[in-house]
Amino acid sequence: MRRSRIAGAVLLAGTVTGLAAGPAQAQEYRYWSFWDGKGGSWAYATQGPATLRPADGAVEGFRFTVGADSAAAGKPRGAADFDAICRDTPAKDGRKRIGIVLDFGTAADAPGGERPPKARTECAQVSEDASAGEALAAVARPLRYDANALLCAIAGYPKAGCAEAVSGSKEQASSAAPSAGAGDRDGADGEGDGSGDGGPSAGLLGGAAAVVVLGAAAVWQARRRRG
């Protein structure tokens, strides 16, 4: 029984790390990508929102997108500008302010029957040790996670699904309009178009489940070597 459980964990670890290794796969997924705003520009997050603990003055971005890898992921179309986002939120002792940029993506990337909400920014004022996920929860409830700690929905969008495989979506999105990387803000109301060429990776993972799974795989390997 123990061996079967560990083997199952190894298989799940392969699933988690397989999602992170998007460039090796052609399959596209519909998911929330996670970004760090550094120096006024966006960089794809290397940790999940549950494990990243940003400092006061940081900006974190979330973009709903469709794609197969993080290398060409559609970035949030809002600016990573902390001063603009948090200018109306005074600093408080024992608290930190995190700018949150929410880009609900394009109509082309939306699940069937759903319409992307209007993009928005929020200033989360949270405890000094709060994670990015806690900052997000303070300003964009309801959030929805799956059993593997993947971030599935922000502010209730989308209503269902979590990093599900999408067929034919890349061609639809890329043929609709120019890339969002051009810097235009068309579609801030959910009607514009963007590249959306990202894919599930570290920015999608909540963190805790992946650590448990990979830890179980390491234990199995160690026992196998000793045997």
Side-chain angles (χ1 to χ4, degrees):
M1 177 66 71
R2 179 177 298 176
R3 181 178 295 274
S4 64
R5 288 179 179 175
I6 294 174
V10 173
L11 289 175
L12 182 53
T15 300
V16 173
T17 55
L19 285 176
Q25 303 178 15
Q27 178 62 62
E28 292 186 314
Y29 298 86
R30 178 179 288 115
Y31 75 107
W32 275 102
S33 59
F34 178 38
W35 300 79
D36 288 327
K38 297 181 178 180
S41 60
W42 294 112
Y44 206 88
T46 57
Q47 297 184 54
T51 58
L52 179 66
R53 299 187 181 278
D56 179 73
V59 180
E60 306 301 332
F62 297 83
R63 166 82 184 259
F64 192 73
T65 189
V66 169
D69 64 82
S70 61
K75 299 178 181 180
R77 290 165 289 178
D81 187 341
F82 174 80
D83 291 336
I85 296 170
C86 289
R87 61 189 171 193
D88 296 327
T89 304
K92 290 184 179 180
D93 290 340
R95 309 281 285 179
K96 64 182 178 182
R97 293 173 298 165
I98 308 298
I100 302 292
V101 176
L102 302 176
D103 185 337
F104 294 86
T106 70
D109 291 343
E114 294 201 54
R115 177 187 176 91
K118 184 178 179 179
R120 70 178 196 259
T121 61
E122 302 285 353
C123 185
Q125 193 162 61
V126 291
S127 64
E128 292 179 328
D129 64 346
S131 67
E134 290 170 323
L136 178 65
V139 297
R141 291 182 181 273
L143 305 182
R144 178 166 54 85
Y145 290 87
D146 76 353
N148 294 319
L150 302 184
L151 179 58
C152 305
I154 296 176
Y157 181 82
K159 296 178 181 177
C162 192
E164 71 273 18
V166 179
S167 60
S169 55
K170 185 172 184 178
E171 291 77 9
Q172 295 168 8
S174 62
S175 63
S179 167
D184 66 276
R185 287 189 57 81
D186 292 345
D189 61 354
E191 288 300 321
D193 300 284
S195 62
D197 289 333
S201 69
L204 175 65
L205 295 174
V211 172
V212 171
V213 169
L214 295 176
V219 169
W220 177 80
Q221 290 175 344
R223 289 179 176 176
R224 185 179 182 184
R225 285 195 296 268
R226 288 198 299 270

